[in-house]
């Protein structure tokens, strides 16, 4: 991994249909690449509305196969065209009736590297995700990309420290956390959890949220997409809480060594004492 990685996060609002949403994302990826971005992550379920505000089987129609579906194939072409690594969260169908909240990871030469399926699935008002998704079964994979080792953790996952740590132990230098989260429920946690995860695990975190109020409910998605460094500090400012934005930041990988040498959290771990955590 280079000492400096230019990374991007795409914050969007729902356009009203899947085709224009994909077109807007492809355009945003091109703009990020024109600013020198080497890796980009889209928001959770990027080509649709956040349909989990309701429980309606019609939205199963948003599923696609990964990697054999049309959107993954398109993004492979986009990645190769712009020489950019793409993390693309989508609604995946494995077989009829078996669906996952998934992120595909595509390398800068267009190669499909694999997928992460969201492990922790909420079922609370406005976030009826168990109606749509099975819990993930991929574990916590790491992807060796043109910009180095990256990991993915999706939205509600961020409330669970175990996955963050698993990604760090596997060597992640950047972890992307695409989300769809609204005011009134979790906004007060938005700049606490991901920055804390970056500190505890000594890597960079890029966290993405959508913006706007969508027709399916009264959830107001508050944006504020940002990168956090391993000291828990924002890299530049967070994005707008109301407008679409492309966040492009330079991540200094040298800071990882500096922080790990100073704090040595990985050296001082005591996995021999953590057994009860897996027995409860």
């Amino acid at each position: 991994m280079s000492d400096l990685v230019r990374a991007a996060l795409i914050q969007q609002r729902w356009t009203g249909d899947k085709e224009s949403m994909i077109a807007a994302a492809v355009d945003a990826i091109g703009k990020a690449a024109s600013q020198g971005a080497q890796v980009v992550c889209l928001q959770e379920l990027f080509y649709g509305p956040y349909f989990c505000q309701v429980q309606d089987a019609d939205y199963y129609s948003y599923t696609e196969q990964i990697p054999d579906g049309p959107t993954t194939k398109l993004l492979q072409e986009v990645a190769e065209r712009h020489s950019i690594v793409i993390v693309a969260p989508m609604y995946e169908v494995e077989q009829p009736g078996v669906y996952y909240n998934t992120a595909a990871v595509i390398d800068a030469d267009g190669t499909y590297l694999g997928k992460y399926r969201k492990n922790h699935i909420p079922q609370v008002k406005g976030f009826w995700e168990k109606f749509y998704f099975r819990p993930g079964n991929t574990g916590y994979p790491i992807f060796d990309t043109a910009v180095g080792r990256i990991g993915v953790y999706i939205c509600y996952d961020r409330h669970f420290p175990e996955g963050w740590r698993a990604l760090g132990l596997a060597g992640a230098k950047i972890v992307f956390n695409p989300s769809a989260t609204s005011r009134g429920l979790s906004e007060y946690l938005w700049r606490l959890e991901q920055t804390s995860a970056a500190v505890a695990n000594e890597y960079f975190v890029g966290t993405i949220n959508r913006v706007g109020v969508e027709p399916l409910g009264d959830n107001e998605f508050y944006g504020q997409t940002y990168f956090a460094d391993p000291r828990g500090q924002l890299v530049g400012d967070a994005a707008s809480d109301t407008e679409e934005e492309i966040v492009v930041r330079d991540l200094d990988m040298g800071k990882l060594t500096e922080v790990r040498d100073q704090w040595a959290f990985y050296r001082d771990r005591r996995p021999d004492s953590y057994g009860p955590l897996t027995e409860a």
Side-chain angles (χ1 to χ4, degrees), residues 200-211:
N201 298 289
E202 299 174 327
Y203 49 48
F204 287 92
V205 172
T207 191
I208 311 97
N209 191 20
R210 59 180 64 205
V211 287

Side-chain angles (χ1 to χ4, degrees), residues 230-250:
R231 294 191 181 279
Q233 299 171 326
L234 268 59
V235 182
D237 295 329
S240 168
D241 66 346
T242 57
E243 303 300 324
E244 295 185 318
E245 197 163 331
I246 302 170
V247 176
V248 179
R249 300 286 185 266
D250 288 329

Side-chain angles (χ1 to χ4, degrees), residues 247-266:
V247 176
V248 179
R249 300 286 185 266
D250 288 329
L251 309 183
D252 181 2
M253 295 297 126
K255 188 170 287 189
L256 300 179
T257 301
E258 174 188 317
V259 168
R260 292 185 182 198
D261 287 349
Q262 181 177 30
W263 285 106
F265 292 151
Y266 286 93

Side-chain angles (χ1 to χ4, degrees), residues 81 101 124:
R81 184 189 321 149
N101 188 334
V124 297

